[in-house]
Amino acid sequence: MSNWIGDTFTSDVGWTHLERLVDIGNRMAGSPGEREAMEATRDALESVGARNAHIDSFDIQGWERGDSAIFAHNTTQECIALPRSPSETATGELVDLGYGLPEDFDRDLSGKVVVVSSTVPDHYDRFIHRREKYYYAVEAGAEAFVFANHVPGQLPPTGSVGTAEAPIGNIPAVGVSKEVGARLGRRFEGEEVTVEVTCETPATDSGNVHAELGPDTDEEVLVTSHLDAHDIAEGAMDNGAGTAMVVELARALASREDELETRVRFVCFGSEEVGLVGSEHEATRLGDDRENVKAIVNNDGVVAGRTLKLHTHGFDELEATVEAVEDRFDHGISTIPEQLPHSDHWPFVAYGVPAFMVGSEREGRGRGWGHTHADTIEKLESRTLREQAILLTELTVELAREDREIPHADPDDIAAALEDEDQAEGMKVTGDWPF
């Protein structure tokens, strides 16, 4: 065991791939940069010894950023369009709804431009996702949606407002920094403002990168990430680091291939940031063969903090697998049993497939630097990637053991868990309720 640990702790394979990805620049879903990331990841997986490395392409509705602005009196306030916003201009009375909790939208917002925060109060029982706030605004009749960051530093946030089924949103949507959001509320509350978004929505394509290791069994463990990133930044944390981790895990597992008792398939999804399009495509492609997916290790948010944080979605055997790895390495790993319906594991979990959502512990609530211009590589450390790769390699080998049985769930039980956790209402509002 010690040889592979030492090799992983000194490996530069994953970090080098992370540098390769962030240096591409724009990896927006359907862009040439995303295609370059696919090809580079396919080649990287092949170079570390994974077999059958290839790209499975699929069509998507593209979205290309133009200009955007908020005009208030004789001022122009800086903003960025949220992907899948329609190309429109809307004028209305500015209303600052604060946190933008569901009850804040319980009014007629016809003729209003609404401003909401990117966070919720610390005492609030659940996080309200950006798209949930957006659709509450749409349902209440708002003319435009302004999403204000809660993190200081002149960082307007991005994030999609569409879904795979309804890729273009209903009203123009923009992100503004905390400072611009505060200025709008202080100076222009109750005043008429105009939100302008220009964009293009060409038909284009995306794709998922596949490769595999281990025996040719019907049952398989999926190790996944997403390749795409928002076009305003390098996408180092979200999610270059996740894809770099997949490559590093492939390298480590290739050296332990004789220990794998179940096939391990690596899938790096395209188009996650615009509605989990790549993972939805793969879950649909598998159809009834989803029953053969023993477990999923989805990497989205790794390396941002030193301690791994794994959502287990109520699967007790996944929790037990983590405990086995913790005990073996005397190394703490955080686990959260609740559902997390916001990354590429989710189209599988909704069918009852056991899955980890693998991130890392960070201070504060929300994305931090994520989805802003500040999502850059210098905020990450190569030692963290290596340390986490050691733990996740062992976790994957443990999942692949023949005697490690991980029962699938009844989708009705997943739905009930979402109801119990007060997440169902928001998913129904955004059109993400799959049951």
Side-chain angles (χ1 to χ4, degrees):
M1 180 180 286
S2 59
N3 286 341
W4 78 264
I5 292 175
D7 289 346
T8 304
F9 199 72
T10 56
S11 171
D12 62 0
V13 168
W15 191 260
T16 297
H17 193 62
L18 175 58
E19 291 179 328
R20 173 76 177 87
L21 292 175
V22 300
D23 289 346
I24 289 172
N26 177 10
R27 303 199 310 277
M28 190 71 182
S31 70
E34 187 196 38
R35 175 62 56 172
E36 184 178 343
M38 289 181 224
E39 294 172 353
T41 300
R42 175 200 60 197
D43 295 347
L45 288 168
E46 186 173 58
S47 71
V48 299
R51 65 180 182 271
N52 193 25
H54 67 281
I55 297 170
D56 173 27
S57 296
F58 51 86
D59 295 333
I60 67 164
Q61 172 69 66
W63 188 89
E64 296 177 357
R65 184 181 305 281
D67 296 323
S68 60
I70 299 173
F71 302 104
H73 288 205
N74 60 347
T75 72
T76 302
Q77 302 296 322
E78 182 181 1
C79 65
I80 58 175
L82 301 186
R84 300 290 177 85
S85 167
S87 185
E88 288 184 10
T89 299
T91 298
E93 177 188 338
L94 184 79
V95 176
D96 188 344
L97 295 183
Y99 287 112
L101 304 179
E103 55 266 31
D104 296 326
F105 293 91
D106 190 17
R107 65 178 88 175
D108 181 7
L109 293 172
S110 301
K112 312 295 186 185
V113 171
V114 300
V115 181
V116 302
S117 171
S118 61
T119 192
V120 298
D122 290 339
H123 61 79
Y124 203 70
D125 57 357
R126 69 180 180 94
F127 190 77
I128 310 297
H129 194 270
R130 169 193 67 257
R131 287 198 299 114
E132 184 176 345
K133 297 181 182 186
Y134 176 78
Y135 284 110
Y136 284 136
V138 171
E139 286 190 348
E143 300 295 323
F145 179 80
V146 180
F147 189 58
N149 203 346
H150 69 284
V151 178
Q154 298 289 351
L155 295 169
T158 190
S160 174
V161 293
T163 66
E165 290 73 26
I168 304 303
N170 305 77
I171 60 175
V174 297
V176 298
S177 68
K178 179 177 182 178
E179 294 79 6
V180 170
R183 182 185 307 133
L184 288 170
R186 179 177 62 84
R187 291 184 60 185
F188 305 113
E189 175 85 28
E191 302 292 333
E192 185 175 276
V193 302
T194 297
V195 176
E196 181 179 272
V197 172
T198 62
C199 60
E200 299 292 334
T201 55
T204 184
D205 66 353
S206 181
N208 298 330
V209 177
H210 298 255
E212 59 189 65
L213 285 169
D216 189 20
T217 56
D218 290 335
E219 195 172 49
E220 60 184 3
V221 173
L222 302 188
V223 177
T224 67
S225 69
H226 70 87
L227 287 152
D228 61 314
H230 285 291
D231 57 333
I232 64 169
E234 297 176 359
M237 286 181 282
D238 188 11
N239 187 38
T243 297
M245 182 64 76
V246 170
V247 171
E248 188 62 62
L249 294 178
R251 185 210 61 78
L253 289 167
S255 71
R256 303 180 65 186
E257 190 167 17
D258 59 347
E259 299 178 55
L260 296 177
E261 297 175 4
T262 303
R263 176 172 56 200
V264 175
R265 186 157 61 91
F266 307 95
V267 190
C268 297
F269 299 110
S271 300
E272 188 267 357
E273 296 289 8
V274 292
L276 313 185
V277 181
S279 50
E280 289 276 9
H281 170 80
E282 177 63 9
T284 300
R285 186 190 71 82
L286 285 177
D288 291 342
D289 287 341
R290 288 185 295 265
E291 289 297 320
N292 292 328
V293 178
K294 184 178 184 181
I296 297 172
V297 181
N298 180 46
N299 298 275
D300 192 352
V302 292
V303 190
R306 292 291 297 278
T307 301
L308 285 169
K309 178 177 70 175
L310 281 66
H311 279 75
T312 59
H313 306 97
F315 291 95
D316 293 340
E317 192 59 29
L318 293 184
E319 184 88 27
T321 308
V322 174
E323 290 173 358
V325 173
E326 280 188 300
D327 291 345
R328 199 168 298 157
F329 284 85
D330 190 23
H331 198 298
I333 302 172
S334 294
T335 56
I336 301 172
E338 285 81 13
Q339 309 297 307
L340 183 63
H342 297 305
S343 188
D344 287 313
H345 58 283
W346 185 250
F348 299 89
V349 174
Y351 285 102
V353 178
F356 289 112
M357 163 60 180
V358 185
S360 50
E361 288 190 350
R362 293 179 288 176
E363 292 184 3
R365 200 168 194 175
R367 300 179 186 275
W369 304 119
H371 284 203
T372 75
H373 299 290
D375 182 2
T376 51
I377 193 172
E378 84 285 346
K379 298 180 179 69
L380 306 178
E381 293 185 325
S382 59
R383 67 173 180 175
T384 304
L385 191 154
R386 292 163 176 158
E387 289 171 0
Q388 292 181 354
I390 291 170
L391 296 171
L392 293 174
T393 297
E394 187 70 10
L395 181 69
T396 305
V397 172
E398 186 71 21
L399 291 170
R401 281 174 41 191
E402 287 183 351
D403 61 354
R404 175 66 73 178
E405 297 182 2
I406 310 173
H408 283 218
D410 187 320
D412 288 344
D413 292 336
I414 301 296
L418 290 166
E419 295 279 7
D420 291 343
E421 296 166 15
D422 196 26
Q423 297 198 65
E425 178 186 358
M427 295 178 69
K428 292 171 183 177
V429 169
T430 60
D432 293 323
W433 187 250
F435 304 105

